[in-house]
Amino acid sequence: METKLAIYGGKKVRETPFPNRKPFSSREEELLIQAVRSQNLFGKSGTMVRDFEKRIANFYGASFAQSSTSGTAAIHSAIGVVNPEPGDEIITAPITDPGSVMPILMQNAIPVFADVDPLTLNMRPDSIEANITDRTRAIILVHLFGRPCDIDPVVRIAQKHDLILIEDCSQAHATKYKEHYAGTFGHMGCFSMQQSKHMTTGDGGFIITNDEETYIRLKLFSDKGWDYQYMGDRDHAFLAPNYRMTELQGAVGLAQLEKVRSVVERRIELGTRLNEKISSASGIMAIPPEDNREVSWWNYIFHITAHNPDEFCSALRAEGISVSPHYIKDPIFLRGEFLTKGQTYGSSGFPFNSPYASKKYHYSPDLVPNAIKGLNTVAVVGIHEQMSKEDIDDIAIAINKVANFLSR
Ligand SMILES: Cc1ncc(COP(=O)(O)O)c(C=O)c1O
């Protein structure tokens, strides 16, 4: 096999482009047409959103599901259920989308960041517990890249400290931890249906729960505190946004739900194949599988431990592989000024610069040394369910080629 790297003029491993993901098909079209022909796209009085919620609850074995307009909105609604006092703390992930952080501030609470496992990048139970104070109200446990966190110890920590546990499953739809899907272990499981997710409505989201009181509050929080079933004559229970899903999203969501488990199973198969095929390459590290959980690979990740990750990824891209080093590059609290400079509400710096905060908060890299370490070495490869085994093999060949060359 050619060993000269494409970046130095050798032959590329992959000459042709990889297939684009096509998440939608005739089933989505059929249900969309049905929704439009009904002449009513308003989710509260239509059939699609209602049916979607019923089927989501059924799929996850949860008592209730509430639809939402995005993953961020779903998490915001979950925090609306927590109903923190201004200045209360909520523990979340340092490596994630801002959607697992900003809603905390939007309910005037303060995000606190637990450190992670430097390989999986998932939050570690011991760091979650170490960050609990008498102001902590909830934990947002974020399952990254399709890999459930160590959920059981976090459930025990939440119970011990009387905290609400919210699971963020935006990157881990329909993925089992032990016998059950991630999202069913906490008080609430939140999901994003943004375009890149295992199931998608372009934008969209939902929350599952087994607790009726929680569900009622989720429903009210998603609709300006408004619901005749629960409110009777009074219209608006409390301050809340409008996160109502439309029938268009409901229609696409129904079609997506029919296939989400097959999407996940295919990704497990392809990701496992890639993991095995690069496991002995030198200077890199594939993340070892664990018996007690599935990994549904929202994107595939591995670590470049003994080469320069930027150099490695440039060489890999020259081989025709779509890869990027460092994921979000820095912990999420350094990716903007909403935390480091308290850019929240006007120039108030609320809730940080207020009597409600119980101390000064500093958001600096030394809070999460393992997150820094993991981000430094991680590389993200785009894989999806419509790729073939041969596509995966090309990725593996290219990774092995670059690793061998750089190890010489
Ligand atoms: C882990 C995680 N949480 C939350 C979100 C927010 O979801 P959305 O973009 O639908 O608001 C995302 C989306 O990228 C995510 O990956």
Side-chain angles (χ1 to χ4, degrees):
M1 200 192 72
E2 164 103 58
T3 56
K4 188 174 179 187
L5 294 185
I7 201 167
Y8 298 130
K11 184 173 155 39
K12 278 169 98 165
V13 170
R14 178 78 182 201
E15 301 281 358
T16 55
F18 286 96
N20 285 328
R21 182 179 184 223
K22 293 183 179 153
F24 309 120
S25 62
S26 57
R27 182 67 176 144
E28 280 82 0
E29 289 175 12
E30 182 192 337
L31 291 173
L32 274 171
I33 289 169
Q34 223 173 289
V36 171
R37 288 193 179 149
S38 78
Q39 299 297 338
N40 175 25
L41 296 180
F42 184 49
K44 275 182 97 168
S45 57
T47 59
M48 295 288 176
V49 172
R50 205 171 301 170
D51 198 17
F52 173 73
E53 290 173 338
K54 212 178 293 167
R55 282 168 199 255
I56 284 283
N58 192 38
F59 177 86
Y60 280 98
S63 305
F64 306 98
Q66 172 62 43
S67 56
S68 195
T69 49
S70 70
T72 306
I75 292 166
H76 190 192
S77 302
I79 295 170
V81 172
V82 175
N83 199 21
E85 294 299 325
D88 279 349
E89 297 172 356
I90 295 182
I91 295 173
T92 188
I95 302 178
T96 186
D97 180 270
S100 359
V101 182
M102 288 185 172
I104 299 173
L105 283 167
M106 287 161 76
Q107 285 308 108
N108 298 313
I110 292 179
V112 170
F113 295 92
D115 205 0
V116 303
D117 178 284
L119 266 193
T120 65
L121 311 184
N122 273 338
M123 297 160 79
R124 282 177 51 149
D126 58 346
S127 181
I128 291 173
E129 188 154 35
N131 276 288
I132 293 172
T133 71
D134 58 2
R135 295 300 303 271
T136 310
R137 295 291 309 283
I139 299 164
I140 302 176
L141 187 64
V142 184
H143 308 299
L144 286 177
F145 291 99
R147 180 186 309 269
C149 299
D150 291 329
I151 303 176
D152 280 349
V154 181
V155 170
R156 285 195 291 274
I157 290 165
Q159 281 166 349
K160 182 172 143 196
H161 297 273
D162 196 21
L163 304 175
I164 294 180
L165 178 58
I166 299 164
E167 290 178 74
D168 178 353
C169 309
S170 298
Q171 299 185 9
H173 288 248
T175 307
K176 283 184 192 148
Y177 173 81
K178 301 188 173 170
E179 297 305 309
H180 301 281
Y181 289 134
T184 61
F185 293 85
H187 296 91
M188 288 168 273
C190 297
F191 296 75
S192 160
M193 293 195 290
Q194 178 271 338
Q195 179 74 18
S196 70
K197 304 307 191 294
H198 298 83
M199 60 181 279
T200 175
T201 52
D203 261 320
F206 59 89
I207 310 111
I208 54 175
T209 184
N210 287 324
D211 177 55
E212 188 168 11
E213 285 297 309
T214 298
Y215 169 66
I216 293 171
R217 217 180 142 88
L218 282 172
K219 189 154 228 38
L220 294 169
F221 195 89
S222 306
D223 189 16
K224 300 171 275 185
W226 200 356
D227 194 286
Y228 291 124
Q229 187 183 344
Y230 299 112
M231 293 302 298
D233 277 346
R234 267 184 320 136
D235 276 351
H236 304 287
F238 45 74
L239 178 68
N242 170 358
Y243 289 153
R244 293 188 306 237
M245 180 181 266
T246 74
E247 290 288 277
L248 294 174
Q249 289 163 303
V252 176
L254 278 169
Q256 291 279 302
L257 182 59
E258 289 170 4
K259 61 193 173 196
V260 68
R261 185 59 198 173
S262 68
V263 166
V264 161
E265 284 172 4
R266 176 70 176 164
R267 286 177 181 231
I268 292 171
E269 184 188 3
L270 296 178
T272 304
R273 185 179 180 93
L274 183 49
N275 234 31
E276 284 166 1
K277 289 189 176 250
I278 67 166
S279 62
S280 55
S282 63
I284 69 163
M285 184 144 184
I287 306 170
E290 290 153 291
D291 288 343
N292 61 4
R293 73 200 76 178
E294 298 177 332
V295 184
S296 58
W297 301 111
W298 168 64
N299 276 303
Y300 180 84
I301 57 171
F302 69 101
H303 290 269
I304 303 162
T305 47
H307 309 290
N308 177 316
D310 298 282
E311 198 186 326
F312 194 99
C313 288
S314 298
L316 204 47
R317 273 195 299 274
E319 300 294 339
I321 308 302
S322 159
V323 62
S324 52
H326 313 306
Y327 185 39
I328 60 168
K329 303 197 169 41
D330 308 297
I332 191 70
F333 52 77
L334 300 179
R335 301 299 299 168
E337 298 190 328
F338 58 103
L339 287 170
T340 50
K341 295 204 175 147
Q343 288 189 353
T344 51
Y345 300 94
S347 56
S348 67
F350 196 86
F352 302 105
N353 302 335
S354 80
Y356 295 105
S358 42
K359 62 181 186 207
K360 285 269 168 242
Y361 290 85
H362 298 285
Y363 293 98
S364 54
D366 55 314
L367 293 177
V368 288
N370 284 324
I372 303 289
K373 195 168 158 205
L375 287 170
N376 187 36
T377 56
V378 76
V380 183
V381 181
I383 69 166
H384 62 77
E385 63 280 3
Q386 283 142 358
M387 285 180 154
S388 66
K389 288 182 180 164
E390 291 70 31
D391 292 329
I392 295 298
D393 292 352
D394 280 349
I395 298 173
I397 290 167
I399 292 174
N400 280 296
K401 178 182 172 188
V402 173
N404 283 341
F405 184 91
L406 295 180
S407 301
R408 287 206 309 234

